[in-house]
Amino acid sequence: WVAGGVRPNTATTMKKLFAVSPKSHGRGSVTVAWHPQGSFLATCGKNRVVNVFNRQGEEHAEIALDGSGKCTGLEWDKDGEMLAVMQEKSPVIKLWDANQNSESSLDTGVKEELTLICWSAAGPQLAIGTAKGNLLIYNKRTLKKQSIAGKHAKTITSGAWSSDNKLVLASADRQVTISNADGDALAQTALKAEGSAIQIPARGGGGSVASVVSGGSTLLVFDVNKPTGGTELKFSPTYGKVTSYRWFGDGLVAVAFDSGYFVVRSAEVGASTEELFSKKLFAGAASLAVSAQTRRAAVCSGREIKIVDLDDEYREMEDESMLLDSEDGDLQHVTWTRDGQVLTVSSSSGAVLSFLACLPPLAIAHGASYMYLTSLMELSVCSALPDRKGDEPRRVRIGMEPTFAALGPAHAAVGMNNQVFFHSLEADDCPLAFEREYLGTVDQVILNADFVAVLSEGRVQVHTLREGDDGAQIFPGKDESADVTCMCMSRDFLVYGTARGTISYIFLQEFALINEYRHECGIAKLFPNDSATRLVFVDDTAAGFLYNPVVDLARPIPRFPPAAVRVMWDSADWGVLVVHDAKVLSVYVYSQHHVSDEGSGGVKPIGQTKLQPGLTPIMAYDGTVISQADNGAIVHVPLSTHDAILKVAAKGGAAGETLRKCFHQNLELLRFTRAWEVAKLLRDQELYLKLARAALLNLDVALAERAYREQGDACMVLTLSKLRAIEDANLLAGHIALTFEDYSRAQELFLVSTRPIAALEMRRDLLHWEQALKLAKTLAPEQVPYISCEFAQQLEFREEYERALQMYTAGLNAAEALASRFDARGGDSRLAHACAVGVAKMTLRMGDAGRGAQLALETGDAQCCRECADILDTVLKQPQDAARLYEEGDAPEKAVKIYIRTKNWVAAKPLMGRISAPKLLIEYAKAKEIDKAYEEAAAAYEKANDVDSVVRLLLSHLGKAQRAFAVVRESKSSQGALLVARHCVSAGDSRNAIEFFLLAKRAEDAFEAASTNDHMEVFTAALGADGSPSDYKKVAQYYEERGDPMRAGEFWFLFKDYAKALRLFLQCGERAVRQATEVVGRARSDTLTHQLIDFLMGETDGVPKDPNYIFKLYMALGNYTQAAKTAIIIARQEQEVGNYRVAHQILFDTHRELSSQRIRVPQELANSLMLLHSYVLVKPLSKSGDHMTAARLLCRVARSISRFPAHVVPILTSCVIECHRAGLRESAFEFATTLMRPEYREQLQEGFRRKIENIVRKPGDKTDAEEAETPSPFDSAARLPESELECPSTKNQIPYCVATGRHVVTSDMCLCPSCGFPASYAVFTQLIQTEGVCQMCMQQVQVKDIVKLEPAEAQAFCLRSVQRAEREPGRQ
């Protein structure tokens, strides 16, 4: 990569164009001079023969000099018509006519040495100076000579003509003279030293600055019109003497010195001067030439040539340096052609070398191919496609220097003037296919695969690419003006622009005009895309436009460069445009469909890239501009808008910031698919949002939906999914603009779409009624009444009542007209009604109370009446009309409020039954009370919930005390209760007085009444649990004083004096044990606990009390462990005496209490409960016919028969009978043998004795029926008999079924809704259906409340039961 970010694809050194050997000049120095147009090179060496060569180095003419002196000057006139040759020691000037190729001689007639020849820069004059200071002026037009003797006192050393034809001469006499074209002196100025090398810089403005070297080391710059004074430019002494200098640019001068230094300096007259560049290029003297066209300086010394760039950055171009062969000798002179394309040097050996420094900017592109000039007579055709970059260019060799060229798919055309040569590109050597001459000078040629279009003298000639085809089509026709200024051509169309401002499309297959666009001024340039379906044109004002022939619409391109040279469509990305002027490449992107084109037709600028000097852009391909440098090299310029994309593509990836920049560049270029791929790599939500918005604005709904989905915006995804089916681009763009809340743009797009009604729908949905009304008048007149009504409602909200009335009236009239139009079908009655309501309200708002109220009543709408009543009451201050409308509007409370305010009781009375507002009711009641209508007043007070006033009236005026009592009891009003209590006191009703004093929170008064009248039981009953400690204390003292320890203890307990309470309860003996136990449980005092235990154990009176009291005490104290032990003892006692149900209930209650407190149930208690429950289940099981289960439960009980001492024989007898009945022969025999023992045999009933004896005597088969096995809840692989309760795998106790006594299984398990014990769902449900109660808790259970557990839930229950069993003992 080289400076400026360009990459050459060929070497940048200058190419040798031709060489003239010393044989043509003889050894020695050679004088050279280029023709002003660069057509000829004149040389003359020691052999005194002037050779004229053409631009290719071919000899054109040879002029032999007559004298013996060497050539001292070669000068071309300004037009290049005449070459003047000055010869040493000869008064004759040899003249050669370039047009006639003829020579002539001009005899000056002077005897002294000629020292100067100088053609005028503006006229036909040739100035000739002599060694004695004389001047001769020759006019080539008139062939006249004019001598001016004594112009200077000494030798005229140099001279120059100004643009206004003034001659400036310098002389050895240290004078500078200014003369007119006739040699007359105009001015004269003196120098400090001898002057030489006068130069007048060429300026477009006709400037009058001149410069002269004074004394060899100083440069004097002065004004030709005012030569005195001037600016003296002095240089550093280290530079030495000036060997040569040249003006260039705007007041800049390049100077070479004999020390080898090269200096660039500003040299404006009257301005500050400064050195801009200084460098020692050589060790010795140097010769200098400057090309103003290319802004390059060539400096030579010895055998080396160095090139210095004189553009913005002054630098030596080391890659352009050249070192010549030693046989060429030392270089002495260097010169450029005026166009800067050829650099020529002469050497001391007599050789002249010409180098091609730069080529004319001749390059053209077609599709992905381009053609450019590689030498003066050769062009190369290359491809921009990446896969063809390595291909060898195709060479097109020509026989002249072309001035124009054209490239097509299979042909190339080059030419000059009126001649065009067509070469075939399908053969390897690109041979000449045919040539053709046209009648006029060719301005432009364009090719496609089949046709060639030639622009000449204002007309376009089209013919096929076949030799000899004379059937050309000419546009415009002969009857039309020949004013075509530009043209272009695609595969199917010829397009040309005219000075009239028309752009015409010609269909090439039929040569028919198919479209013509008229612009407001002339068309200067056309730049189409490949198919010409889009076209950029530049008009005479230098403004750029993008034209769409499909819709015949041209839109201005924003920020179009005013000095644009060319517009290039990117061949790899059709939507990208690159516009270049002399300094900048401006990049634009075109979107075919865009929501907001902002008047630019979807074209927007996205960036600029600096164009390096000397580069001529040819084409744009995938973000790179292929350009030709001055020396013919191809340079690829990456656009700044694509640099990150190109970098990522070249490396196959990049860091985060580069990827982010790549994403944004793809987004700007509308490459949404590539941007999506980069966004997926970065995974940045912000990038997804930007991509989604950009894609949506360009109508790429599918990609936008993907981006919003990736971002997680469900709302936008759902919205876009509804838009995917829309095919009309304008309709789709309208919906997208609506999504972005650009309502004006959305309306514009909707109106030009296939569904303009969408604009009206949008405005209606947005409640933009004013705009909707305007749209409806043209798009949907039937919607005008609806929109008028909606608009009126909005105006009403904004308090623009007059306009609202107009809209309501218009809506009502339109609705009525609509209804009449539909006849029987009718219109929308709701619309007419809404408009009528609006008219009524707005009429009132405008101040017409009477008419407005009447209109409101006519509507028959309750809501309308209420709203109009509000206006009448609050705004218009018309209470009676307002009240009337409130009544009609079903707002009786508001009507009554007005009637009460205006004291219109008669009107208010009929409405009171419908009133529920307490305030109104109280106001009305007060008024009735004043009128002594106490019943009505009391009813109103009661409805208003003013209990105190009701009680007051009932007691004071109506004499209804009992009703007053009921009211107070129901309402609990303290003030009303006090009124009633005082009434009772005055009436001597102490019982009721006590009750109502307490309701009135007057406990002291109530206690006083109770103690005085000995009605303490009334006081305590009314007091209940709501009394204060002081109340309880007073009652306790009262009963204690009267010797009632039981009642006194109750209230000391409520007072929380537990010691006194316990003492009093113990005085009462066993009848107060329950209360004493409750006191101790609440007090949690060891002293009181021991005191009660001593009492229960008989320590105080020597009489032990029932053990149940001890059990209840432990339960009250929360000592569940001791309670459990006590329960077991009590249950055992009950069990021993045969009270099995009682024992079962004690154990069950204890079990449930321990479980509720999350305390481990002792195993002994659980086993005792299990045995008792097994015995309890036998009867219902036998009753239901399940003898097998009953037998196995009896076997379980019989094996622990010692726990049932009261009924050993009956239980064993039942067991034998059930086992025998169930087929358990072995078990029956076992327990029958037990019954045959002497201690039991006599107790057997006669009915069973013989049967049992037979079982013992004749046992028969002594085997039990095999018991079914089911899986353990703890281990599904472990199976055990149904009546077993221990898991064989885990040794855990398995919960048993309260309905069968068998262990539970997880597949068929439920819990009792009452006690929570487990059961088999199937059996338990059946048991409840027959018995109705749970056999464990003996509580009623509904079948619908029984819920079968899932296996996982059942197993979790079993595990929790095991964990509770393993938990440490709980609280004591």
Tab-separated table of all heavy atoms in Angstrom, residues 381-411:
chain	number	residue	atom	x	y	z
A	381	VAL	N	-7.751	-4.410	-21.675
A	381	VAL	CA	-9.103	-4.712	-21.179
A	381	VAL	C	-8.955	-5.697	-20.019
A	381	VAL	O	-8.353	-6.761	-20.174
A	381	VAL	CB	-9.991	-5.318	-22.281
A	381	VAL	CG1	-11.385	-5.612	-21.742
A	381	VAL	CG2	-10.063	-4.379	-23.476
A	382	CYS	N	-9.487	-5.314	-18.844
A	382	CYS	CA	-9.370	-6.122	-17.624
A	382	CYS	C	-10.748	-6.357	-17.023
A	382	CYS	O	-11.715	-5.656	-17.351
A	382	CYS	CB	-8.478	-5.436	-16.594
A	382	CYS	SG	-6.819	-5.070	-17.191
A	383	SER	N	-10.809	-7.309	-16.121
A	383	SER	CA	-12.046	-7.611	-15.403
A	383	SER	C	-11.887	-7.237	-13.941
A	383	SER	O	-10.821	-7.446	-13.347
A	383	SER	CB	-12.400	-9.096	-15.530
A	383	SER	OG	-13.519	-9.410	-14.726
A	384	ALA	N	-12.955	-6.708	-13.354
A	384	ALA	CA	-12.943	-6.353	-11.931
A	384	ALA	C	-13.419	-7.499	-11.058
A	384	ALA	O	-13.395	-7.383	-9.830
A	384	ALA	CB	-13.831	-5.128	-11.687
A	385	LEU	N	-13.852	-8.615	-11.648
A	385	LEU	CA	-14.357	-9.723	-10.860
A	385	LEU	C	-13.228	-10.331	-10.034
A	385	LEU	O	-12.114	-10.527	-10.541
A	385	LEU	CB	-14.966	-10.793	-11.771
A	385	LEU	CG	-16.196	-10.357	-12.575
A	385	LEU	CD1	-16.611	-11.460	-13.539
A	385	LEU	CD2	-17.342	-10.008	-11.641
A	386	PRO	N	-13.490	-10.647	-8.763
A	386	PRO	CA	-12.417	-11.164	-7.913
A	386	PRO	C	-11.790	-12.440	-8.449
A	386	PRO	O	-10.587	-12.636	-8.333
A	386	PRO	CB	-13.134	-11.415	-6.570
A	386	PRO	CG	-14.342	-10.539	-6.596
A	386	PRO	CD	-14.744	-10.467	-8.023
A	387	ASP	N	-12.584	-13.325	-9.051
A	387	ASP	CA	-12.038	-14.592	-9.521
A	387	ASP	C	-11.281	-14.457	-10.830
A	387	ASP	O	-10.718	-15.431	-11.341
A	387	ASP	CB	-13.157	-15.617	-9.679
A	387	ASP	CG	-14.266	-15.130	-10.608
A	387	ASP	OD1	-14.251	-13.930	-10.944
A	387	ASP	OD2	-15.134	-15.937	-10.984
A	388	ARG	N	-11.233	-13.244	-11.407
A	388	ARG	CA	-10.512	-13.024	-12.665
A	388	ARG	C	-9.414	-11.984	-12.537
A	388	ARG	O	-8.901	-11.491	-13.533
A	388	ARG	CB	-11.495	-12.607	-13.758
A	388	ARG	CG	-12.513	-13.701	-14.110
A	388	ARG	CD	-13.341	-13.317	-15.313
A	388	ARG	NE	-12.499	-13.090	-16.477
A	388	ARG	CZ	-12.959	-12.601	-17.632
A	388	ARG	NH1	-14.247	-12.320	-17.765
A	388	ARG	NH2	-12.151	-12.415	-18.660
A	389	LYS	N	-9.069	-11.645	-11.288
A	389	LYS	CA	-8.040	-10.621	-11.094
A	389	LYS	C	-6.673	-11.072	-11.621
A	389	LYS	O	-5.847	-10.255	-12.000
A	389	LYS	CB	-7.949	-10.254	-9.611
A	389	LYS	CG	-9.043	-9.307	-9.165
A	389	LYS	CD	-8.800	-8.805	-7.766
A	389	LYS	CE	-9.867	-7.780	-7.369
A	389	LYS	NZ	-9.670	-7.285	-6.003
A	390	GLY	N	-6.426	-12.364	-11.572
A	390	GLY	CA	-5.125	-12.859	-12.026
A	390	GLY	C	-5.033	-13.054	-13.520
A	390	GLY	O	-3.959	-13.410	-14.039
A	391	ASP	N	-6.125	-12.850	-14.265
A	391	ASP	CA	-6.093	-13.060	-15.716
A	391	ASP	C	-5.233	-12.005	-16.397
A	391	ASP	O	-5.185	-10.832	-15.980
A	391	ASP	CB	-7.514	-13.001	-16.287
A	391	ASP	CG	-8.363	-14.161	-15.795
A	391	ASP	OD1	-7.818	-15.029	-15.085
A	391	ASP	OD2	-9.566	-14.182	-16.112
A	392	GLU	N	-4.585	-12.421	-17.461
A	392	GLU	CA	-3.770	-11.491	-18.253
A	392	GLU	C	-4.700	-10.542	-19.017
A	392	GLU	O	-5.672	-10.978	-19.643
A	392	GLU	CB	-2.901	-12.277	-19.232
A	392	GLU	CG	-1.903	-11.442	-19.997
A	392	GLU	CD	-0.782	-10.903	-19.110
A	392	GLU	OE1	-0.531	-11.501	-18.027
A	392	GLU	OE2	-0.160	-9.907	-19.496
A	393	PRO	N	-4.433	-9.228	-18.955
A	393	PRO	CA	-5.286	-8.295	-19.699
A	393	PRO	C	-5.230	-8.563	-21.200
A	393	PRO	O	-4.213	-9.011	-21.736
A	393	PRO	CB	-4.705	-6.914	-19.347
A	393	PRO	CG	-3.905	-7.136	-18.110
A	393	PRO	CD	-3.396	-8.531	-18.185
A	394	ARG	N	-6.330	-8.268	-21.871
A	394	ARG	CA	-6.357	-8.358	-23.330
A	394	ARG	C	-5.863	-7.028	-23.907
A	394	ARG	O	-6.327	-5.963	-23.492
A	394	ARG	CB	-7.771	-8.667	-23.815
A	394	ARG	CG	-8.189	-10.111	-23.567
A	394	ARG	CD	-9.661	-10.327	-23.840
A	394	ARG	NE	-10.479	-9.677	-22.820
A	394	ARG	CZ	-11.814	-9.633	-22.838
A	394	ARG	NH1	-12.466	-10.185	-23.841
A	394	ARG	NH2	-12.476	-9.045	-21.879
A	395	ARG	N	-4.922	-7.129	-24.835
A	395	ARG	CA	-4.286	-5.940	-25.395
A	395	ARG	C	-4.941	-5.549	-26.713
A	395	ARG	O	-5.128	-6.381	-27.612
A	395	ARG	CB	-2.803	-6.184	-25.641
A	395	ARG	CG	-2.055	-6.757	-24.425
A	395	ARG	CD	-1.902	-5.725	-23.332
A	395	ARG	NE	-1.147	-6.272	-22.212
A	395	ARG	CZ	-0.880	-5.604	-21.114
A	395	ARG	NH1	-1.335	-4.370	-20.957
A	395	ARG	NH2	-0.170	-6.163	-20.148
A	396	VAL	N	-5.287	-4.292	-26.831
A	396	VAL	CA	-5.837	-3.747	-28.075
A	396	VAL	C	-4.799	-2.770	-28.626
A	396	VAL	O	-4.577	-1.694	-28.045
A	396	VAL	CB	-7.187	-3.045	-27.830
A	396	VAL	CG1	-7.729	-2.485	-29.142
A	396	VAL	CG2	-8.183	-4.009	-27.203
A	397	ARG	N	-4.141	-3.172	-29.721
A	397	ARG	CA	-3.080	-2.337	-30.299
A	397	ARG	C	-3.670	-1.525	-31.452
A	397	ARG	O	-4.408	-2.052	-32.287
A	397	ARG	CB	-1.924	-3.206	-30.778
A	397	ARG	CG	-1.176	-3.839	-29.598
A	397	ARG	CD	-0.097	-4.820	-30.036
A	397	ARG	NE	0.628	-5.315	-28.873
A	397	ARG	CZ	0.233	-6.309	-28.109
A	397	ARG	NH1	-0.913	-6.932	-28.389
A	397	ARG	NH2	0.958	-6.702	-27.065
A	398	ILE	N	-3.322	-0.230	-31.449
A	398	ILE	CA	-3.933	0.701	-32.403
A	398	ILE	C	-2.831	1.453	-33.128
A	398	ILE	O	-1.657	1.444	-32.717
A	398	ILE	CB	-4.892	1.675	-31.694
A	398	ILE	CG1	-4.172	2.361	-30.526
A	398	ILE	CG2	-6.116	0.931	-31.184
A	398	ILE	CD1	-5.032	3.328	-29.764
A	399	GLY	N	-3.225	2.153	-34.206
A	399	GLY	CA	-2.228	2.841	-35.031
A	399	GLY	C	-2.204	4.328	-34.839
A	399	GLY	O	-1.519	5.037	-35.599
A	400	MET	N	-2.895	4.872	-33.892
A	400	MET	CA	-2.878	6.311	-33.622
A	400	MET	C	-3.226	6.539	-32.154
A	400	MET	O	-3.631	5.637	-31.434
A	400	MET	CB	-3.874	7.063	-34.524
A	400	MET	CG	-5.299	6.585	-34.585
A	400	MET	SD	-6.031	5.930	-33.166
A	400	MET	CE	-7.685	5.718	-33.552
A	401	GLU	N	-3.036	7.769	-31.674
A	401	GLU	CA	-3.394	8.138	-30.304
A	401	GLU	C	-4.883	8.474	-30.279
A	401	GLU	O	-5.305	9.457	-30.876
A	401	GLU	CB	-2.582	9.335	-29.824
A	401	GLU	CG	-1.129	9.022	-29.578
A	401	GLU	CD	-0.419	10.203	-28.930
A	401	GLU	OE1	-1.023	10.833	-28.036
A	401	GLU	OE2	0.714	10.481	-29.327
A	402	PRO	N	-5.675	7.653	-29.615
A	402	PRO	CA	-7.131	7.904	-29.651
A	402	PRO	C	-7.519	9.060	-28.733
A	402	PRO	O	-6.869	9.334	-27.725
A	402	PRO	CB	-7.706	6.589	-29.139
A	402	PRO	CG	-6.659	6.053	-28.224
A	402	PRO	CD	-5.332	6.473	-28.814
A	403	THR	N	-8.593	9.691	-29.095
A	403	THR	CA	-9.158	10.748	-28.240
A	403	THR	C	-10.442	10.296	-27.558
A	403	THR	O	-10.922	10.952	-26.652
A	403	THR	CB	-9.447	12.006	-29.071
A	403	THR	OG1	-10.341	11.662	-30.141
A	403	THR	CG2	-8.160	12.588	-29.635
A	404	PHE	N	-10.993	9.171	-27.983
A	404	PHE	CA	-12.169	8.613	-27.323
A	404	PHE	C	-12.125	7.094	-27.479
A	404	PHE	O	-11.413	6.556	-28.346
A	404	PHE	CB	-13.478	9.184	-27.875
A	404	PHE	CG	-13.666	8.992	-29.363
A	404	PHE	CD1	-14.150	7.789	-29.882
A	404	PHE	CD2	-13.357	10.016	-30.252
A	404	PHE	CE1	-14.331	7.618	-31.231
A	404	PHE	CE2	-13.518	9.838	-31.617
A	404	PHE	CZ	-14.015	8.646	-32.115
A	405	ALA	N	-12.859	6.413	-26.619
A	405	ALA	CA	-12.912	4.952	-26.647
A	405	ALA	C	-14.248	4.496	-26.108
A	405	ALA	O	-14.944	5.232	-25.402
A	405	ALA	CB	-11.772	4.343	-25.827
A	406	ALA	N	-14.608	3.267	-26.456
A	406	ALA	CA	-15.851	2.660	-25.949
A	406	ALA	C	-15.605	1.168	-25.765
A	406	ALA	O	-14.793	0.564	-26.465
A	406	ALA	CB	-17.005	2.897	-26.916
A	407	LEU	N	-16.313	0.573	-24.804
A	407	LEU	CA	-16.153	-0.839	-24.480
A	407	LEU	C	-17.527	-1.492	-24.429
A	407	LEU	O	-18.469	-0.941	-23.847
A	407	LEU	CB	-15.445	-1.010	-23.129
A	407	LEU	CG	-15.198	-2.445	-22.661
A	407	LEU	CD1	-14.253	-3.160	-23.612
A	407	LEU	CD2	-14.647	-2.435	-21.240
A	408	GLY	N	-17.625	-2.672	-25.040
A	408	GLY	CA	-18.846	-3.460	-25.001
A	408	GLY	C	-18.552	-4.861	-24.541
A	408	GLY	O	-17.409	-5.198	-24.203
A	409	PRO	N	-19.573	-5.744	-24.539
A	409	PRO	CA	-19.343	-7.126	-24.096
A	409	PRO	C	-18.334	-7.865	-24.967
A	409	PRO	O	-17.569	-8.687	-24.471
A	409	PRO	CB	-20.726	-7.763	-24.194
A	409	PRO	CG	-21.688	-6.617	-24.164
A	409	PRO	CD	-20.990	-5.481	-24.842
A	410	ALA	N	-18.319	-7.581	-26.278
A	410	ALA	CA	-17.447	-8.339	-27.180
A	410	ALA	C	-16.619	-7.459	-28.096
A	410	ALA	O	-15.862	-7.979	-28.926
A	410	ALA	CB	-18.281	-9.300	-28.028
A	411	HIS	N	-16.728	-6.141	-27.970
A	411	HIS	CA	-15.998	-5.235	-28.865
A	411	HIS	C	-15.438	-4.063	-28.079
A	411	HIS	O	-15.942	-3.710	-26.998
A	411	HIS	CB	-16.919	-4.690	-29.979
A	411	HIS	CG	-17.373	-5.731	-30.946
A	411	HIS	ND1	-18.424	-6.584	-30.675
A	411	HIS	CD2	-16.906	-6.071	-32.190
A	411	HIS	CE1	-18.613	-7.389	-31.698
A	411	HIS	NE2	-17.707	-7.106	-32.638
